[in-house]
Amino acid sequence: MSQDTVSIKNNNTGEQAEFSLLKGTLGTPTIDIGTLNKNLGLFTYDPGFVSTASCKSNITYIDGEKGILLYRGYPIEQLAKQSSFLEVAYLLMNGELPTENKLFNFSNEINHHTILHESLSGFFSGFHYDAHPMAMMVGVVGSLSAFYHGQLNMEDPEHRRISALRMLAKMPTIAAACYQHSIGYPIVYPRRDLEYCENFLNMMFSLPSQTNAQRDKQIDPITVKALNLLFILHADHEQNASTSTVRLASSTGANPYACIAAGISALWGPSHGGANEAVLKMLMEIGTIENIPKYLKKAKDKNDPFRLMGFGHRVYKNFDPRATIIRETCHEVLAHFPTDDPLFELALALEEYALKDEYFIEKKLYPNVDFYSGIIYRALKIPENMFTVMFVIARTAGWVSHWLEMMAEPTHRISRPRQLYTGYDKRDYTPTNLRK
Ligand code: ACO
């Protein structure tokens, strides 16, 4: 990393100070303003962290203008085409692609940790059948911290590695259990002989009366392939809102399972991972192709809170490379599972309308990955309220990788942003009987 400097001058006082200009391997140079307050008595104001790098990281790189996404240097297009989700998870967590032998061992370790403590399984029965699965995810993943705490030594890299593996391994089991609970079926136990995505599909869709042979038959290879792809595309996205939440919570030294639960909460919002579910809800609200112009008008109206869900991105301003890949898969999946679902046709028409609309062109609002992922999940018969849960399974790979990276740093400080205070100046307390 090479270093130059940048001068910042306070034009009101004439004071000036030099700051290091940090240059990473790729991307925008970054001013190290850590000493700004000490040198010039100033803070920076950047709501939404539009221009602020919160950490150094060597996991994922995004160039939003060029539509580039790299995991540990590998282009997402290559990984999406040639890799599996577990291989990508290994890459994110360890920095290098695994050899055949290492991948075999990693898969075995993951399989070993898929099972839930029987007492944890009991937690599901505390939720009403119609609880949102994301609410159950937050609660159950957070409660893993009650099972794994005393024996955890966060200074020990092996303890950290096992904690990360456990989270990745248990997430599909917990996710499928949320669904089985919501339809009133018993939890299906994970199987050691199935691959990660197959295992999830088996736990998700098995009926209590089925034999293993019957269950095996319903694990469709196209579905497994699509799921691997969706999980790869969603595995990491550098310092997004949920990953930053995991990092912020972890900076206090909190239990890692509780930190991941915080990430799940952040992901749930419709501006982030909740967008895939919101896209489907929006399509249902629009209803027919004839209504599209009316809803586009609403999306453009500043006085109307309606936004076109699945469009726009904080970082990607030309196209989302994940959306380009997923769009192709969307067509493959729809061809494999022919359907007369009117929402698919509506989604494709909406995409066409929006891409030709001046407002969306001018503001560089393109379909993001979640516009298509919801459509694919629907074709794969994943219920709508499970869409964001699917995102959780995939993003766990990224969250734990960032957690591992952060915890391995020799010094990490608690994250503590500053603020621009806009409240009252100091004033004196008056007793209630004297207040007007
Ligand atoms: N529909 C209509 N107008 C939009 C949309 C949209 N989906 N997205 C942005 N705009 C407009 C805004 O009104 C704003 O207009 P203005 O400049 O006239 O004020 C301008 O485009 C910029 O929007 P911001 O909200 O400032 O952009 P920001 O980078 O903060 O937000 C976000 C990005 C949250 C993704 C936004 O585009 C959005 O809400 N999209 C819909 C939700 C969505 O799909 N989220 C998933 C993101 S991908 C992910 O998390 C996996």
Side-chain angles (χ1 to χ4, degrees), residues 50 234 237 240 267 269-276 278-279 298-300 302 306-315 317 320 322 359-360 363 365 368-371 391 395:
V50 179
H234 276 128
H237 216 225
N240 56 84
L267 189 79
S271 298
H272 192 11
N276 50 19
V279 168
K298 273 165 75 64
K300 296 186 270 187
K302 283 275 148 265
F306 178 82
R307 275 193 169 196
L308 221 47
M309 300 314 288
F311 280 77
H313 198 275
R314 167 61 63 80
V315 181
K317 296 300 175 199
D320 178 342
R322 303 166 303 170
Y359 172 93
F360 285 85
K363 294 202 182 291
L365 299 169
N368 58 50
V369 65
D370 283 322
F371 183 70
F391 199 158
R395 187 52 59 85

